[in-house]
DNA sequence: ACGGGCGGGACGACCCGTTTTT
DNA sequence: AAAAACGGGTCGTCCCGCCCGT
């Protein structure tokens, strides 16, 4: 799984690095560090200096690439969204019930990039304040997810794979809620909780509810 | 439903006010304000001065009653926990499957005191940072809830109301996850989402899964 | 001549200090220091910390009394304006030509409080930038002075002391210009220039031009 | 009237361009921009980046030509001084009272190059601070002007055009003061003030005072 | 020679929690 | 319970180097 957040440098000359991780650019490193820190200490709890230190710069150095903190926040959010979306799209490509079945594996994806995981819930809660700079972003993310899942269910109904009387709206919001909630719990349950297994079980029950 | 968060003043002398709302003490007002602000802007995002302003004091005034911010945080948390617990205890008093059925109404409780609602999820995310002052509190809350629900299910099994092959651990964590997640969504879904109805549906499905 | 800039404490009890300078309040001291520094290094060239140091505080200490720098600037300006106006009013009380004759002594006033002197020209030049926070203030000051002098001349004409064909507008602006310019020069001419004598000479010539 | 502020390139080789405007060199453009900005926002209020932007460079680009800001300041000052002096010299070439009469037209010169105008007063006030980098420059400029005018008057006395009892020192400083002051006022008096006419009137009065 | 990309060190204003004094 | 003051930050700016392309 590629988690690179950097500019993928198109110049071929010095290194060919086929298939390997592209070399980190400073900008990419900064965004990576920001995602990690925002995700673990919140936006307000993360200082530019802390991010800078992580990539071996001073705060002035970071500010050179991102004139203000909000710009950095936006960049981190966008990057996170992009990654998430890209993977989702691949995963759900078949559409309909099959797509939902595929989401069973989503848990393992999450476990591999915990920074992104926490970034999202942290953003979700910070966005509660109506004047937060991330509110719009979060709201849109929820909207998109909801529409996506409702669409999948609709597709399944059309294809005759899913029972038509299913309450797609409720299922979509319940799924998202469960996924958010379980990720949150993960941070508080030492090793007791296997996110992967737990998520798989939810999907098993879900498919059972939906399938004809 | 009593939403008072203030010291209930047990001293009988000047006023008996039986049955009425206990008179607002300054300390109580401060805690109320703190809960609200912590819940909406996070702990780090809330300044003592902001709390003070809300109750018509200066920050020095607030600090007169709570020597440091952490003391205030603890007080707010404790108050929130106490309220939650009290209600829960009443609600779940019958135990077993009946108690779980009763939780259907929990959604409406939540809708009535939104500050408490957001306080909890906000705390949950702030607690992610391993050095957060609220981490222990949150962890314990999750633990308590988990044990409580698992206990309820066990009771139901003992009483022969619940199928013994049920995975109590998973059900408990799924329930809590859903409840956390759905509350979060609530802040981003204008009026589209009826928390009460959604929660009821989850419990209906749950009871269906559990009952013999 | 009273140059006090402090709150004149009306409570009689603890100190009587009759005739002496009233005890400096912190706020007063800060404004004094600000006037001095703004006057000598300009507004942009003066840091809050520098002001603070002068009165034995830290910058946070100063910021406690004046929430932002602009508030401090306004306070300093207002204080300066008030002092200037008060003295002017006393000086010009008789009106007409007599008032203008009295202004001869203005030079000595200026020499006694050099900080105020430089404050004003410094502000005048900083106000040139159209987005400066002091521009409005300076513009109004010029307007007021102009109106005042034109009024004085008009009065003199009415009383038959001044020749009616005098160009009051030009005389007013020329006087202000000379006064501004000569104060500026003062900073560059070691001791060669006696401001007092120079100003007196200007007024002698002026009165000669005006008087019947 | 030539307002070019760039290096007049004495090297004859590539272009002869006799009489035409010298071609803009980058260095010249930078100095032009610096003069304008120093004149309107002060030296401290002007950032290298702002100057750079005006000529389409980055700050690094500007710093390539002028290693430090002070070097740039000096260059701008020198350029301004040179221009001023050149024109003055032409204007005052006849010497004596005739030279002073010719200065009547100085007002119109000023109006044509307002940047230079404000540059000078701005520098005059910034130079007040005894540790300012421009102080020496300004002081010298005042000295030069003073000597020049006193010389002119002396010449006039020698030639029998000016009354010998005139106080040359006072007249010189008064003239300079008026000229400084009136330029300052110009920035605050919408269109009310015709600098040209006002200056002419001053010179008329002056000549009247001086001439036999 | 010219100019940009990148980065840092110093400092700017302003904020926040806290202690001390009244 | 307010008032005064402080210490330690936080974001952001400014000037200026270093190194790299043309």
């Amino acid at each position: 799984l590629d988690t690179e957040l950097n500019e993928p440098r198109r110049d071929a000359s010095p290194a060919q690095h086929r298939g390997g991780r592209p070399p980190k650019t400073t900008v990419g490193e900064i965004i990576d560090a920001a995602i990690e820190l925002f995700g673990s200490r919140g936006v307000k709890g993360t200082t530019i200096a802390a991010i800078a230190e992580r990539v071996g710069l001073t705060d002035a150095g970071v500010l050179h690439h991102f004139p203000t903190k909000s710009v950095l926040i936006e960049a981190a959010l966008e990057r996170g969204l992009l990654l998430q979306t890209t993977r989702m799209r691949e995963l759900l490509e078949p559409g309909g019930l099959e797509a939902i079945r595929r989401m069973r594996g989503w848990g393992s994806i999450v476990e591999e990039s915990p920074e992104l995981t926490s970034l999202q819930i942290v953003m979700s809660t910070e966005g509660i304040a109506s004047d937060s700079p991330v509110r719009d972003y979060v709201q849109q993310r929820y909207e998109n997810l909801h529409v996506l899942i409702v669409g999948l269910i609709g597709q399944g109904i059309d294809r005759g794979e899913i029972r038509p009387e299913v309450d797609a709206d409720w299922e979509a919001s319940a799924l998202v809620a469960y996924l958010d909630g379980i990720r949150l719990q993960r941070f508080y349950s030492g090793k007791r909780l296997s996110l992967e297994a737990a998520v798989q079980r939810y999907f098993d029950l879900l498919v059972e509810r939906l399938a004809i």
Side-chain angles (χ1 to χ4, degrees), chain A:
Chain A
L1 179 71
D2 188 322
T3 329
E4 279 346 287
L5 304 180
N6 5 342
E7 231 67 286
R9 276 231 250 169
R10 290 274 170 254
D11 53 316
S13 34
Q16 204 61 352
H17 67 275
R18 63 177 65 226
R21 322 173 76 83
K24 293 264 180 191
T25 65
T26 303
V27 169
E29 281 186 71
I30 293 174
I31 296 187
D32 277 358
I35 288 179
E36 244 176 276
L37 288 174
F38 287 158
S40 61
R41 320 188 101 60
V43 169
K44 291 216 57 153
T46 301
T47 70
I48 293 186
I51 297 172
E53 195 190 7
R54 216 165 237 242
V55 292
L57 291 183
T58 64
D59 49 348
V62 170
L63 252 3
H64 170 67
H65 298 284
F66 301 90
T68 73
K69 194 181 183 182
S70 353
V71 173
L72 218 190
I73 296 173
E74 265 171 63
L77 249 29
E78 218 158 305
R79 195 44 97 160
L81 186 61
L82 190 121
L83 258 106
Q84 196 76 8
T85 313
T86 309
R87 286 186 216 159
M88 273 288 186
R89 217 178 295 276
E90 294 169 13
L91 200 68
L92 304 185
E93 206 238 314
L97 188 60
E98 179 55 23
I100 292 176
R101 271 199 194 99
R102 288 243 228 154
M103 286 173 80
R104 274 187 98 236
W106 180 82
S108 59
I109 290 180
V110 164
E111 295 226 322
E112 285 174 44
S113 56
E115 333 82 50
L116 274 183
T117 306
S118 65
L119 178 66
Q120 264 162 23
I121 24 180
V122 166
M123 289 302 175
S124 292
T125 34
E126 291 220 2
I128 289 179
S130 40
D131 59 347
S132 166
V134 303
R135 183 173 174 91
D136 283 354
Y137 164 83
V138 175
Q139 185 142 20
Q140 184 144 17
R141 180 184 154 254
Y142 274 116
E143 191 62 30
N144 290 347
L145 262 178
H146 194 85
V147 168
L148 178 77
I149 297 172
V150 168
L152 249 32
I153 296 178
Q155 221 170 33
I157 295 176
D158 289 348
R159 296 188 190 170
E161 304 161 349
I162 293 180
R163 277 181 279 163
E165 72 271 23
V166 159
D167 182 345
D169 255 346
W170 186 88
E171 289 292 356
S173 88
L175 175 55
V176 172
Y178 175 76
L179 258 19
D180 278 354
I182 203 71
R183 281 185 291 181
L184 200 44
Q185 264 180 66
R186 201 171 167 281
F187 291 97
Y188 295 101
S189 61
K191 286 285 86 161
R192 194 192 56 210
L193 180 78
S194 161
L195 207 153
E196 211 174 337
V199 167
Q200 285 181 9
R201 177 143 179 68
Y202 189 92
F203 278 104
D204 289 343
L205 286 174
L206 175 57
V207 169
E208 210 173 293
R209 272 204 299 279
L210 299 181
I212 284 182

